[in-house]
Amino acid sequence: MRKIFVVICLFYFSVFNVYAQERWVPTAVHIATTISDGSLSLDDVVRVARLKGIQAIVITDRDHMKWEYGIWPLRNIIKATRESNSVFKYGIANYLNTIELASKKNKDILIIPGLESAPFYYWKGTPFSGDFKICDWHKHILVIGLQKPQDYTALPVLANAAGLKRPFCMDDIIKFWPLLLLFLGIFLFFRRECSYLDYKGNELSNFSKKWRFTGSVFFVAAIALLVNNSFAPSLIYDQYCTLADEKPYQTLIDYVNKKGGMTFWAHPEAKNISKQGNVIIETNEHVADLRKTRDYTGFAVFFEGYEKIGKIGGEWDHLLREFCEGRRDAPVWAIAGLAFDHGTFEDLARLMDDARTYIFTREFSREALLAAMRGGRMYVSRGPTKNRFLLDKFVVRDDISGESVDVGGSIKITDKPLIEIKGRLAGAEVPSSVIVRLVRDGKVIETFEEQAPIDIVYKDYSTFTKKTYYRIEIQNGSQLIVTNPIFVKKIVNNS
């Protein structure tokens, strides 16, 4: 009996250890479905993921797909609205339930609900000119990790007035200024041609037709303006405010942080100019917004965030140095974003091959995956290749204490840091030479050219006293791998 018990225990713990073993989960992030502006259903997306060996997908349907333009000064009465499918139109509870049902049917793939949000847009020109534009409509932030329907309901984005209401202030009183126009209209309406009294003091002069017409015009205008202003919600900003700068984006970031979610700039280097009818849709690259905003979780380095931001010595390295210097409260992590909406089954399959986020987690669960994303335990890969290179290990170790930390972590060391890098080809029979660039503080400190599989151990003998970070880039033919950083602070022993 004791032997049977021991066998059962060994079996249990072996199964548990396999389940709990840390692993890299290949993940596809930033995919829209037919719930919003996507061309494939959620079931189709899951089928593609299974075909391509993707173990987790982050669905980011559009929160709102709604423009509104009103003619001044009656913008809330004389207005045009254009709206298409979105999460809010579909229903937030329905959206979350749809993903939950799909998760229960597909237990081999983690399905994470998220949003692609356009927090702000503004208008330039007029509908009657050739320069009528909607600006910044494609400045998008991915919102991931919100758990409750009410967290979505109060999202502070321009198309959701419920999330942008501001406290009562003087502007709410000023909205009733047309009352002055109303009183003036009444006064003019009862104005006479002249003043002529009889012996009893009664006015004998007729009412002036000219002043009565003017008074009527003022009266009607005042009523129209009062109705217009009463329909105007009291918002922090609106689509006619061209000087909002980073405020709408920071407002969204702060709100999502408060609710325990994550925010990622979706495609900050992308320029998008198109036209619908007589409306020009214009969004320029917005790399500078990554410096202007704070406390967001990260950005999509692939496809449209590498050349100016993610490249070695680029904007990302500047942001990471700011964090090391204490000028930012949180680090900035990199993910790969597919930005898939319109396309075929085959198009999505190619994208899932081309851009992947590998997330390092112990448990295969939604909660564990989100926690790993929040902690930056990720690397990203771009470039389809039959000889796909997989990173197995990237750690920094204190050679004296033996303590180590992996990607996304922080460590205090007493000696020179020891960097360990391991990786292999994904079942390929063709040998491949890979180039590994070790980056510290935005500069390449060592380059290795190795035949895969690789097992690199490197001790950094450089002298540094301030907090720093290491990250790596790996080139494997047309494939490029970028890891998130590991932060290192050296403890100075004064004894």
Side-chain angles (χ1 to χ4, degrees), residues 250 287-296 314-332 441-442 466-469 485 487:
Q250 191 64 59
V287 173
D289 285 322
L290 273 73
R291 282 203 197 191
K292 293 178 182 177
T293 51
R294 311 185 72 81
D295 300 326
Y296 52 90
E315 192 67 22
W316 188 26
D317 284 309
H318 174 86
L319 298 170
L320 293 175
R321 285 195 298 270
E322 282 191 344
F323 171 69
C324 290
E325 293 164 4
R327 292 187 286 145
R328 282 186 176 264
D329 294 330
V332 175
D441 279 343
K466 296 180 180 179
K467 185 175 182 179
T468 186
Y469 66 90
F487 296 98

Side-chain angles (χ1 to χ4, degrees), residues 176-319:
F176 294 98
W177 71 266
L179 285 172
L180 299 175
L181 197 64
L182 180 67
F183 295 144
L184 178 61
I186 293 171
F187 170 76
L188 294 176
F189 186 82
F190 291 104
R191 186 172 180 179
R192 296 177 184 273
E193 293 178 348
C194 61
S195 181
Y196 183 72
L197 306 176
D198 63 12
Y199 71 97
K200 294 183 178 180
N202 297 320
E203 185 63 69
L204 298 178
S205 175
N206 294 325
F207 291 108
S208 169
K209 292 182 180 180
K210 176 181 68 175
W211 288 118
R212 281 217 148 179
F213 175 77
T214 304
S216 298
V217 171
F218 280 20
F219 182 85
V220 171
I223 294 297
L225 288 168
L226 283 170
V227 171
N228 176 78
N229 292 356
S230 66
F231 285 150
S234 300
L235 304 179
I236 303 171
Y237 47 81
D238 61 27
Q239 61 268 41
Y240 310 105
C241 175
T242 59
L243 300 176
D245 204 19
E246 76 277 4
K247 183 177 180 180
Y249 308 97
Q250 191 64 59
T251 299
L252 176 64
I253 291 165
D254 292 343
Y255 173 84
V256 174
N257 285 341
K258 185 178 179 182
K259 298 299 180 181
M262 294 175 279
T263 48
F264 295 87
W265 283 97
H267 30 65
E269 293 182 17
K271 182 176 183 178
N272 188 299
I273 299 177
S274 59
K275 194 169 185 178
Q276 287 189 20
N278 69 324
V279 180
I280 300 168
I281 306 168
E282 181 178 277
T283 304
N284 293 310
E285 66 168 43
H286 36 283
V287 173
D289 285 322
L290 273 73
R291 282 203 197 191
K292 293 178 182 177
T293 51
R294 311 185 72 81
D295 300 326
Y296 52 90
T297 315
F299 73 105
V301 65
F302 300 138
F303 291 105
E304 295 156 323
Y306 179 77
E307 292 302 321
K308 294 184 179 180
I309 303 172
K311 186 173 284 188
I312 296 172
E315 192 67 22
W316 188 26
D317 284 309
H318 174 86
L319 298 170

Side-chain angles (χ1 to χ4, degrees), residues 266 300-306 335-338 355 380-382 480-482:
V301 65
F302 300 138
F303 291 105
E304 295 156 323
Y306 179 77
I335 60 171
L338 276 63
V380 296
S381 171
R382 178 181 181 179
L480 178 64
I481 286 175
V482 175

Side-chain angles (χ1 to χ4, degrees), residues 88-108:
F88 273 65
K89 191 174 181 181
Y90 183 76
I92 296 163
N94 288 340
Y95 178 61
L96 297 177
N97 288 338
T98 298
I99 291 179
E100 197 60 38
L101 287 172
S103 297
K104 289 177 180 178
K105 288 193 301 182
N106 302 277
K107 294 187 182 297
D108 59 324

